[in-house]
Amino acid sequence: MSRIRTVEVVPMAFPDPPLLNSWGVHEPLALRTLVVLTLDDGTVGLGETSGEQPLLGRLESAAPRLVGVRVDDPAAIEAAAVAGLRSDVSPVERRKVVAPFEVATLDALGRLEGVPVSDLLGGRVRDRVEFAGYLFFKWAGHPGAEPDEWGAAEDAAGLVEVARRMRERYGFGSLKLKAGVYEPAREIAAMRALAAEMPGVPLRIDPNAAWRVETAIEVADALADVVEYLEDPTPGLAGMAAVRAATTLPLATNMVVVSPETLEPAVAAGAVDIVLADPHYWGGLAATRRLGEACRAHGLGLSMHSNSHLGISLAAMVHVAAATPELDHACDTHYPWNAASDIVEPGALAFVDGAVAVPDGPGLGVELRRDVVERLHRAYLESGRTVRDDTAYARTVDPAYDPTLPRF
């Protein structure tokens, strides 16, 4: 079996709209990292993850250690990836280092064997993976810049208009709102406006822990007939459990359950009904597949979390979702906000009626656009950026902005 000959770690920066959240607002550039493995026979494997420090530095340090490792030896790949990490690096941060290398090795292995990654994960149980349209309150454009193609969504009417256009373009059958931005009454009104304009469309709301327990309970009561679930309404496991005990609404999380170590306490507390997996911090695709099995054992639902990403992450999400029987809610995706900067050749990934067909090609089924990667890498170098700081960016407009949670 082939061994890894070279490993490239390429940080990139690409345009991101001014999307509002409980910590502030997205900066004009989002950061991602591309991992490219080349095997001794020339086969290439691709992975993608966050472009922020300190993760980027850890990936760059790990890359030389993977040279010479067999592509079909996941234990050796994981060991090499984390070998240089300090003992005080948390298990979650360790898994973040492993994840893009694991995806890249699965891509390369699939190409070698002529099979899709979903086959390597146990075989697909679905040919199409459904996604939810990810809505944000947003400014019309970044300060000093022209309005972007989506325009402003700072009230119910603006949000409904963005949702309508997003559904027209991508066909999403469900919608999720990133909340925790405005007073809860304003966000309740926005959810009710969405429900009125799009009857029958499943809705979700995620304030990223911006609400106090009593506020979360009030919102849950106000939206009980409107939303399919409430995601991370309040900080911490105890707070989530208190909200869950006081409402009939299912609670979802990607903040209190982020690892195998945090799953059992959440189950014991009765705090969550649905877990949002994320291959980027669960340690890759095989680990995400195992999470599905754990959710089934505990009677929990399963969806998938998203952050600003490009096509390699989307392809990886599609393959693992296709191979995970327990996935019973449409996945999140930021892809519509960042699609114009995609680094994969067009055609392999397309949203039709809100779903992406599993690519049939070997590996992830996508090919890299090297010219775009080079352009985004130059943008990264020229930007001088190393971290995402939504709060600092919000303070350029409102110097008194306070991100302390819970806020409402």
Side-chain angles (χ1 to χ4, degrees):
M1 179 58 68
S2 290
R3 296 179 182 271
I4 298 171
R5 185 178 71 201
T6 63
V7 182
E8 299 173 68
V9 176
V10 186
M12 303 172 292
F14 54 89
D16 207 19
L19 308 177
L20 304 176
N21 56 52
S22 65
W23 291 290
V25 59
H26 286 208
E27 297 174 273
L29 291 175
L31 306 179
R32 291 300 271 179
T33 296
L34 168 68
V35 168
V36 183
L37 306 180
T38 303
L39 307 185
D40 52 19
D41 68 349
T43 301
V44 169
L46 307 174
E48 178 192 329
T49 190
S50 166
E52 295 185 69
Q53 295 287 8
L55 176 58
L56 174 59
R58 291 168 179 162
L59 296 173
E60 292 171 332
S61 296
R65 295 194 295 270
L66 272 76
V67 173
V69 177
R70 282 175 54 125
V71 72
D72 64 340
D73 190 344
I77 291 161
E78 179 175 351
V82 302
L85 296 180
R86 291 171 24 172
S87 61
D88 60 350
V89 175
S90 73
V92 171
E93 295 303 317
R94 288 173 176 268
R95 293 184 185 106
K96 288 180 181 180
V97 176
V98 173
F101 296 125
E102 185 250 24
V103 172
T105 54
L106 286 172
D107 184 27
L109 189 59
R111 292 170 189 262
L112 278 176
E113 298 185 1
V115 299
V117 163
S118 54
D119 284 10
L120 300 177
L121 297 172
R124 69 180 68 171
V125 296
R126 55 182 65 87
D127 295 322
R128 300 167 67 253
V129 175
E130 293 187 0
F131 288 87
Y134 208 153
L135 303 177
F136 289 77
F137 292 108
K138 65 181 295 294
W139 299 334
H142 287 285
E146 292 294 318
D148 60 43
E149 63 170 316
W150 296 102
E154 300 183 68
D155 55 19
L159 194 69
V160 166
E161 175 60 18
V162 169
R164 182 190 64 77
R165 291 169 55 203
M166 191 172 281
R167 276 169 45 83
E168 284 180 354
R169 185 176 301 184
Y170 296 96
F172 292 120
S174 56
L175 297 169
K176 169 178 168 175
L177 173 63
K178 181 66 75 179
V181 175
Y182 300 121
E183 290 289 337
R186 185 168 170 182
E187 298 185 340
I188 290 170
M191 294 299 290
R192 290 206 160 275
L194 287 170
E197 291 293 327
M198 301 164 192
V201 174
L203 302 176
R204 315 164 183 177
I205 183 168
D206 172 17
N208 276 138
W211 300 333
R212 299 178 183 87
V213 168
E214 56 271 24
T215 303
I217 294 170
E218 292 172 1
V219 175
D221 290 344
L223 294 179
D225 62 332
V226 171
V227 302
E228 61 171 336
Y229 65 69
L230 199 60
E231 181 182 338
D232 287 311
T234 198
L237 186 58
M240 289 282 287
V243 175
R244 185 64 190 87
T247 178
T248 59
L249 268 183
L251 295 194
T253 184
N254 76 284
M255 295 178 71
V256 300
V257 177
V258 296
S259 65
E261 298 86 357
T262 54
L263 179 61
E264 294 287 346
V267 171
V272 300
D273 303 277
I274 301 156
V275 175
L276 274 72
D278 190 326
H280 302 90
Y281 60 66
W282 278 85
L285 306 186
T288 302
R289 179 67 191 82
R290 290 192 296 271
L291 172 62
E293 297 169 354
C295 286
R296 180 180 65 220
H298 291 297
L300 300 178
L302 184 67
S303 183
M304 198 175 302
H305 169 255
S306 165
N307 211 315
S308 301
H309 67 87
L310 300 171
I312 295 170
S313 281
L314 179 61
M317 292 170 68
V318 167
H319 279 281
V320 71
T324 304
E326 298 81 7
L327 191 85
D328 55 359
H329 291 78
C331 302
D332 293 350
T333 180
H334 283 62
Y335 188 75
W337 301 108
N338 307 122
S341 300
D342 205 0
I343 58 175
V344 302
E345 294 288 351
L349 303 168
F351 286 86
V352 178
D353 295 331
V356 177
V358 184
D360 288 320
L364 292 175
V366 298
E367 300 298 331
L368 200 60
R369 300 172 66 188
R370 280 282 187 177
D371 58 329
V372 178
V373 171
E374 292 172 4
R375 174 166 55 81
L376 301 189
H377 179 56
R378 287 196 303 271
Y380 172 85
L381 296 174
E382 293 168 359
S383 73
R385 293 271 310 286
T386 58
V387 297
R388 169 181 164 177
D389 194 339
D390 293 6
T391 299
Y393 188 50
R395 285 174 174 164
T396 64
V397 174
D398 177 9
Y401 182 80
D402 182 2
T404 304
L405 301 179
R407 182 177 302 118
F408 302 108

